[in-house]
Amino acid sequence: MALSGIQIYKMLPKTNCKECGFPTCLAFAMKLAAKQVELSACPHVSEESKAQLAESSAPPVRLVTLKSNGYQAAAGNEVVLFRHEKKFFHMPGLFIRVKDDLTSEQIKAKLAPAEAYEVDYVGLELTLDGFAVESVTGDAAAFATAVQAVNAVSHRPLILMSSDPDVIAAGLAAADCEIPLICAADGDNWEAMAGLAKEHKAALVVNGRTLDELADLTEKIKATGVEDLVLNPIGDNLSQRLALSTQIRRLALKKNFRALGYPLFVAPMDGEDIAYQSILAAQGIAKYGGFVVIDYFAPELAYPLLVLRQNIYTDPQKPIQVQPGLYEINDPTPESPVLVTTNFSITYFSVANEVDGSGLPAWLLVTEAEGMSVLTAWAAGKFDAERIAKDVKRFNVADKVANKRIVLPGHTAVLSGELEEELPGWEIKVGPREAVDIPAFMKQVLA
Amino acid sequence: MPVQIPKDKWPGQVRVATIGATEADGGTRTSVITVGGEKALPFMHFEAEMPYRPVIALEIKDRKPDDWSPLLLETWGEAMDAPGAWAKAAEAAGADMLQLSLSLTGVDGEPNTPDKAVTAVQSVLNSSGLPLAVFGPGQKEADNELLVPVAEATKGERIALGICEDKNYRTIVATAMANDHLVTARAPMDVNLSKQLNILITDMGLPLERIIMDPTTGALGYGIEYGYSVMERLRLAALQGDTMTQLPMIVTPGFEAWKAKESKVGTGVPAAWGDWLERAINWETLTAVALLESGADILVLRHPESVRRVRMAIEELMEAEELRLATGN
Ligand code: B12
Ligand code: SF4
């Protein structure tokens, strides 16, 4: 439970020495409760109070960070159940799983394209986060070989999967990864698994079929000094998985229930096909998953999953924007046309990518539209003739072009009359409605 | 460690709406769909029974569309040349319901007419027993001109007529009232605008049970997060007891997803986008699944494979056997 200002005050020295920068200990306590200052600003607080306060100010969902050779995947530290309440902070890591019954060559062949995978979405280079290796042979040496094969193609964070501590130990010894994730501890093996996690500074997944079982295990494991835990509530179908994940998030946030205050693990069961796994992963991304595993790598699935993750985790209060300005595409000359659009990231990149792909030079005037799409901005009065004309002047567009032609998005054809009045001497053209049709338009109409 | 499960108890409940009427109820449908009735957030079966499962509609048109992805043209093939044939194919593809979109013009480029629209709707009704929604072309005059005769010719079938928007709802609502139909009410991703429109519509006398609300959605990568959150907020408002938000929700992930370049185009795209068909189906399916989890009652799709996959999700999400949460089986 978060402590009140008064509760915190009782733990402070109550000397009002002012060294923290506040006139009284109570004033400082109030600021602490509001999370506006750090406890370290008070030099006189006792060790005991420090420990107590740290515990109470710990985030309701623990942040667990896997680390490997400069890569990391962090999950947890979430504060809301619904993204509109504030925002979701730590995007779930996406991992591709291989099993140790494949040969090293097969593993490398399967993972190399996933390792190299990179896709552009609104100017962001999106990649997968790491790999999971699962022991199906039960053989420690085979597992170690598989881990080495993965490391031969990737240095990203690893998830090591087996219920046998000996197998995991062999995997840990073979793995090139500072903080891997061990999967998993259960009612039978937890002591050995906790020992391994402690020894190797690894994070540890805890399996349980009920919340009681999970809470029991996390408390026992935490008592051994292992704190970076990840919960795997085992559900038999999407419905149970959703219910368990929701309950865990609610308990952590609403009840500050520490025993379940950890990020969640989402992985398919054996034999689930790629279509099913895509749906499971999508549910994991939308509904509280922290580390999401799938068995297949295919660009046509990785791309939509990465985009979904990006969308769900954007800040609902501020759309992703690009800087307004005059952008040059394909080395434009004074003869090249000027295309106008808004500064909403998705809009800008849809248009810029098409113009770029057309191979034809153009100027792209990105207006200040508070990060809204063309129609949204138009409906909100942030994209009209006056504003476009203002940005034409602000970015000195007339100095760059000899041939004064400006192209409006097709959806806002209605603006052309007014824009003619605002920009005397310019030829106003109406482009196609959708960006996909821009290359053809540039070739036919602007040539 | 015995864990106390927090259960939300909500004062409000979503209304129940039925689209379609069988012979017994004055129509000709062989099946109807009933949606709504939720007393908890989507699929939280441990809190309250979710009485009706979300349903899948397939979108068909009165003629072969000019602007659909070649993948869809290939899938539906010749069926697209006649609305009746398309309706049959959509039923065979596993839809619970059909959503017919009327076109602004015919294949010949001539404006659509009331006669042609009525003929198209009737051939759909004759070819398939599924319940139906009919959307106008989306322009005020054309919508009113086409939807009124359609509503009259199909009196009693309990069709969902769309799309009512704040700028154009009166004529559609009036004809729905006169001919025992429902309406869909679309507002641009805003809780208050949705409420306002529902108020305007009920002020005309159409009961709330005959309104399905369309909160508007965006495709994956093109604004889905706004639609997703507005649906969560609308559903929370409904459960908290806000009457004018207590309506089932219809969304059109098929229309949105197939508009996206990722689905529409196969050539000249980055290699990192992968296989075209599978990517397009993922685009539609993942858009739909995200919306399902945020409260959709009716999902309108375009591709049969997406129907299969989204149905798989709905079936699992509706599995409501006593959940082992705290205390084991
Ligand atoms: C997401 C969304 C929102 C989000 C905002 C997202 C954002 N950052 O802009 C939110 C929920 C906040 C929102 C709010 C509103 N929205 Co809104 N929104 C949408 C939605 C669903 C998607 C918009 C989108 O992101 N499209 C994707 C981008 C990439 O599209 P785009 O910018 O148009 O770019 C494309 C083309 O225009 C073209 N293009 C772009 N630039 C150029 C340039 C040239 C030269 C060319 C040739 C082509 C071109 O290429 C792009 C790809 O094809 C649409 C409906 C829909 N499904 O489309 C409604 C929509 C745009 N919204 C609408 C409205 C009315 C509003 C509000 C005014 C509602 C209100 N009264 O509150 C508010 C305004 C905001 C405010 N007051 O602050 C209406 C606009 C109606 C109209 N025709 O005027 C729409 C169409 C919904 C509807 N049917 O009613 N909205
Ligand atoms: S520094 Fe510490 S002891 Fe001094 S006034 Fe601030 S809180 Fe009190």
Side-chain angles (χ1 to χ4, degrees):
Chain A
M1 256 312 137
L3 297 176
S4 70
I6 301 291
Q7 285 168 314
I8 295 175
Y9 171 68
K10 290 184 182 146
M11 289 184 237
L12 294 178
K14 302 193 201 85
T15 54
N16 301 337
C17 77
K18 301 189 177 54
E19 280 176 50
C20 57
F22 293 90
T24 60
C25 292
L26 182 60
F28 180 68
M30 291 300 177
K31 289 285 171 189
L32 258 181
K35 294 194 172 21
Q36 290 164 347
V37 291
E38 297 281 332
L39 180 63
S40 54
C42 168
H44 306 298
V45 65
S46 72
E47 285 306 316
E48 191 198 337
S49 300
K50 244 186 223 167
Q52 252 178 312
L53 285 166
E55 170 79 0
S56 86
S57 65
V61 181
R62 186 178 171 86
L63 184 71
V64 173
T65 308
L66 310 186
K67 288 195 179 137
S68 181
N69 304 287
Y71 293 103
Q72 66 172 43
N77 232 348
E78 300 297 339
V79 295
V80 290
L81 279 163
F82 304 101
R83 56 185 294 286
H84 66 259
E85 293 174 318
K86 188 172 177 76
K87 106 185 235 327
F88 290 172
F89 288 94
H90 289 96
M91 292 193 218
L94 278 176
F95 290 76
I96 305 291
R97 178 163 65 185
V98 283
K99 304 192 172 169
D100 71 348
D101 58 350
L102 298 181
T103 66
S104 294
E105 291 320 306
Q106 285 170 322
I107 289 176
K108 289 180 204 163
K110 179 176 171 184
L111 298 193
E115 166 63 26
Y117 188 69
E118 200 176 74
V119 65
D120 174 277
Y121 171 66
V122 299
L124 307 166
E125 288 301 327
L126 307 181
T127 64
L128 298 165
D129 298 282
F131 298 97
V133 192
E134 182 174 5
S135 163
V136 288
T137 62
D139 181 63
F143 190 62
T145 309
V147 170
Q148 278 159 352
V150 173
N151 275 150
V153 292
S154 173
H155 300 291
R156 293 178 197 269
L158 293 178
I159 303 176
L160 304 176
M161 304 180 71
S162 169
S163 57
D164 181 345
D166 293 336
V167 171
I168 291 291
L172 285 166
D176 170 22
C177 178
E178 289 102 77
I179 307 186
L181 180 60
I182 298 172
C183 183
D186 58 30
D188 299 324
N189 69 12
W190 68 270
E191 283 181 285
M193 289 295 193
L196 286 169
K198 196 164 181 188
E199 181 188 339
H200 292 267
K201 293 199 178 58
L204 180 59
V205 175
V206 178
N207 279 352
R209 291 184 63 83
T210 67
L211 300 185
D212 286 357
E213 200 182 324
L214 280 169
D216 259 345
L217 277 171
T218 61
E219 289 293 275
K220 283 193 221 154
I221 294 172
K222 196 176 159 198
T224 71
V226 176
E227 293 197 86
D228 281 339
L229 301 180
V230 174
L231 306 174
N232 183 21
I234 298 171
D236 298 332
N237 51 42
L238 292 171
S239 162
Q240 285 189 358
R241 285 170 180 268
L242 180 64
L244 290 161
S245 309
T246 307
Q247 286 299 8
I248 289 173
R249 181 76 153 248
R250 282 188 191 169
L251 281 159
L253 297 190
K254 298 215 265 191
K255 306 282 172 197
N256 208 21
F257 185 67
R258 296 279 179 212
L260 295 175
Y262 301 97
L264 298 178
F265 186 74
V266 178
M269 313 261 190
D270 261 348
E272 287 169 344
D273 71 5
I274 187 166
Y276 184 85
Q277 292 197 11
S278 71
I279 291 169
L280 177 65
Q283 173 170 304
I285 289 169
K287 293 292 174 185
Y288 316 136
F291 299 94
V292 174
V293 176
I294 51 177
D295 287 326
Y296 300 86
F297 168 73
E300 57 272 16
L301 176 58
Y303 177 37
L305 286 175
L306 288 166
V307 171
L308 179 64
R309 176 173 84 165
Q310 209 65 33
N311 290 169
I312 295 289
Y313 279 76
T314 51
D315 186 340
Q317 267 71 48
K318 30 173 176 8
I320 5 172
Q321 313 189 8
V322 295
Q323 200 59 36
L326 187 65
Y327 289 71
E328 304 181 5
I329 304 183
N330 298 330
D331 304 319
T333 67
E335 305 310 314
S336 306
V338 179
L339 277 65
V340 61
T341 190
T342 66
N343 70 325
F344 182 35
S345 223
I346 303 177
T347 302
Y348 165 80
F349 283 102
S350 318
V351 176
N353 286 343
E354 293 303 335
V355 178
D356 185 55
S358 76
L360 301 172
W363 304 90
L364 183 57
L365 175 62
V366 177
T367 61
E368 169 58 78
E370 295 175 18
M372 288 184 216
S373 82
V374 167
L375 275 179
T376 311
W378 177 72
K382 308 288 178 194
F383 187 68
D384 55 23
E386 205 179 306
R387 284 173 163 256
I388 296 172
K390 208 175 110 205
D391 278 350
V392 166
K393 296 193 181 93
R394 178 157 71 116
F395 299 117
N396 304 317
V397 184
D399 301 344
K400 306 269 170 63
V401 296
N403 193 351
K404 292 184 173 177
R405 281 182 305 171
I406 192 162
V407 183
L408 281 172
H411 282 296
T412 53
V414 291
L415 295 177
S416 55
E418 286 164 43
L419 193 58
E420 249 159 38
E421 283 172 30
E422 294 279 345
L423 292 175
W426 284 78
E427 183 191 352
I428 314 295
K429 285 197 170 294
V430 175
R433 296 163 79 91
E434 300 304 331
V436 211
D437 302 317
I438 290 178
F441 175 82
M442 289 182 67
K443 279 173 197 133
Q444 285 150 21
V445 184
L446 299 179
Chain B
M1 176 187 289
V3 177
Q4 267 262 297
I5 300 296
K7 286 193 186 178
D8 287 339
K9 230 178 144 28
W10 303 97
Q13 179 176 9
V14 178
R15 276 162 196 280
V16 175
T18 298
I19 301 178
T22 58
E23 227 172 310
D25 293 314
T28 61
R29 305 299 74 213
T30 52
S31 63
V32 302
I33 60 117
T34 299
V35 287
E38 293 93 340
K39 289 191 233 110
L41 287 169
F43 312 110
M44 295 292 113
H45 306 291
F46 58 92
E47 285 176 347
E49 184 203 3
M50 188 166 166
Y52 302 103
R53 66 179 50 222
V55 305
I56 301 172
L58 265 167
E59 181 182 1
I60 60 174
K61 297 206 67 160
D62 51 354
R63 65 144 167 118
K64 187 171 179 169
D66 303 322
D67 57 352
W68 281 31
S69 168
L71 292 175
L72 291 168
L73 302 185
E74 206 175 295
T75 304
W76 296 109
E78 283 174 9
M80 287 177 133
D81 295 326
W86 197 346
K88 249 197 194 99
E91 181 169 355
D96 302 306
M97 177 182 157
L98 303 174
Q99 185 259 301
L100 174 69
S101 299
L102 298 172
S103 307
L104 200 53
T105 58
V107 210
D108 50 11
E110 293 296 313
N112 203 349
T113 64
D115 279 353
K116 285 187 194 153
V118 169
T119 311
V121 172
Q122 265 159 352
S123 92
V124 168
L125 291 173
N126 292 337
S127 312
S128 160
L130 294 181
L132 182 66
V134 180
F135 289 0
Q139 288 192 3
K140 189 173 172 176
E141 283 82 41
D143 282 1
N144 295 344
E145 194 197 354
L146 302 178
L147 288 175
V148 173
V150 163
E152 288 167 354
T154 57
K155 186 175 167 80
E157 292 282 9
R158 290 185 72 88
I159 285 175
L161 298 170
I163 298 170
C164 293
E165 295 186 82
D166 63 347
K167 291 196 186 69
N168 188 33
Y169 65 92
R170 299 187 145 268
T171 309
I172 305 173
V173 172
T175 198
M177 271 167 43
N179 298 293
D180 306 329
H181 297 306
L182 295 83
V183 299
T184 71
R186 175 179 285 181
M189 296 191 165
D190 184 290
V191 173
N192 289 321
L193 293 177
S194 277
K195 283 175 65 171
Q196 227 172 67
L197 181 59
N198 298 337
I199 291 170
L200 291 171
I201 293 174
T202 42
D203 277 353
M204 285 183 65
L206 189 70
L208 278 169
E209 291 74 17
R210 278 159 64 187
I211 308 173
I212 311 278
M213 92 185 145
D214 176 349
T216 305
T217 194
L220 181 58
Y222 297 87
I224 190 179
E225 65 274 34
Y226 296 96
Y228 181 91
S229 284
V230 163
M231 286 167 71
E232 289 195 326
R233 292 176 52 204
L234 278 166
R235 187 49 52 84
L236 285 166
L239 296 174
Q240 278 152 6
D242 183 344
T243 326
M244 284 298 156
T245 56
Q246 291 171 335
L247 305 176
M249 292 191 271
I250 183 171
V251 280
T252 51
F255 169 76
E256 295 294 340
W258 284 97
K259 209 167 59 175
K261 183 175 183 184
E262 281 79 355
S263 311
K264 209 165 174 182
V265 197
T267 53
V269 302
W273 286 14
D275 179 73
W276 182 19
L277 176 61
E278 186 60 25
R279 172 178 79 238
I281 287 165
N282 281 330
W283 221 260
E284 183 174 36
T285 304
L286 298 195
T287 303
V289 167
L291 301 177
L292 186 62
E293 309 238 7
S294 60
D297 294 279
I298 304 176
L299 295 148
V300 188
L301 303 177
R302 284 188 173 177
H303 197 284
E305 175 59 15
S306 309
V307 173
R308 189 188 72 80
R309 295 187 188 182
V310 175
R311 175 163 316 287
M312 176 163 82
I314 293 175
E315 265 162 25
E316 281 219 349
L317 284 164
M318 285 304 292
E319 278 183 33
E321 80 274 26
E322 198 44 44
L323 183 66
R324 30 174 195 79
L325 281 167
T327 46
N329 300 307

